[in-house]
Amino acid sequence: MKQLFEATKYNTRWQERDQAILACLYHLGLRVGEACNLKLEDINLETNIVHIKTSKTGFARQLPIPANATIILKNYLEINEIQPNEYFLQGIKKQLNKQVIGRILRSLKAKTTIKKRIYAICYATASPPNF
């Protein structure tokens, strides 16, 4: 994960967005579809809670936002002007989809020495490292 976060520095135009993607997948443990469907209004950086309206199981849930992810998400929001009803993760054509996030992850992986396949389902662990 450290290498993936480091790889975001090679594309300064999208660095904060790519870090936000990694934060959603790794620090929050979201599935790619959940990350794509996040809206700005679902993320409360004052209480450090993210609200997932629809998950794979069909139930809504709330997740705590770790301190590492809070910093990354705040940096992302400082650079991007996203309206409350808009999707959180955006690219050139607004909302990102699963395929675009997959391409972003493959592009980041190509800038690392990682040999293993990267699965864009969930990177959650019990105690994520500090990046």
Side-chain angles (χ1 to χ4, degrees):
M1 282 311 298
K2 194 172 196 172
Q3 286 187 49
L4 289 174
F5 275 99
E6 287 291 323
T8 63
K9 296 176 182 174
Y10 292 109
N11 186 351
T12 55
R13 180 175 183 200
W14 298 109
Q15 180 178 356
E16 286 77 14
R17 184 213 49 200
D18 293 351
Q19 287 180 355
I21 291 169
L22 292 174
C24 287
L25 298 176
Y26 179 68
H27 291 296
L28 299 177
L30 300 182
R31 293 175 180 88
V32 176
E34 293 171 339
C36 291
N37 291 325
L38 264 186
K39 289 193 174 186
L40 181 60
E41 61 201 29
D42 300 331
I43 299 169
N44 188 333
L45 294 174
E46 292 175 14
T47 61
N48 290 331
I49 297 288
V50 64
H51 181 77
I52 307 301
K53 291 179 182 169
T54 50
S55 66
K56 181 180 177 180
T57 60
F59 295 101
R61 68 185 198 277
Q62 292 185 352
L63 301 169
I65 303 173
N68 298 351
T70 301
I71 294 166
I72 292 168
L73 300 179
K74 281 182 180 179
N75 288 341
Y76 173 68
L77 288 174
E78 285 177 11
I79 292 175
N80 296 286
E81 295 179 18
I82 302 170
Q83 302 304 314
N85 61 343
E86 289 184 325
Y87 289 96
F88 182 68
L89 296 175
Q90 297 189 2
I92 295 171
K93 297 179 181 179
K94 294 290 182 187
Q95 179 190 8
L96 296 181
N97 61 37
K98 293 178 186 180
Q99 291 78 20
V100 172
I101 289 180
R103 273 187 256 133
I104 290 167
L105 292 175
R106 283 190 297 279
S107 172
L108 291 173
K109 180 187 169 201
K111 296 174 178 108
T112 70
T113 60
I114 298 170
K115 300 291 182 219
K116 292 184 177 185
R117 182 174 174 199
I118 293 177
Y119 295 90
I121 299 168
C122 179
Y123 292 119
T125 63
S127 56
N130 293 328
F131 295 116

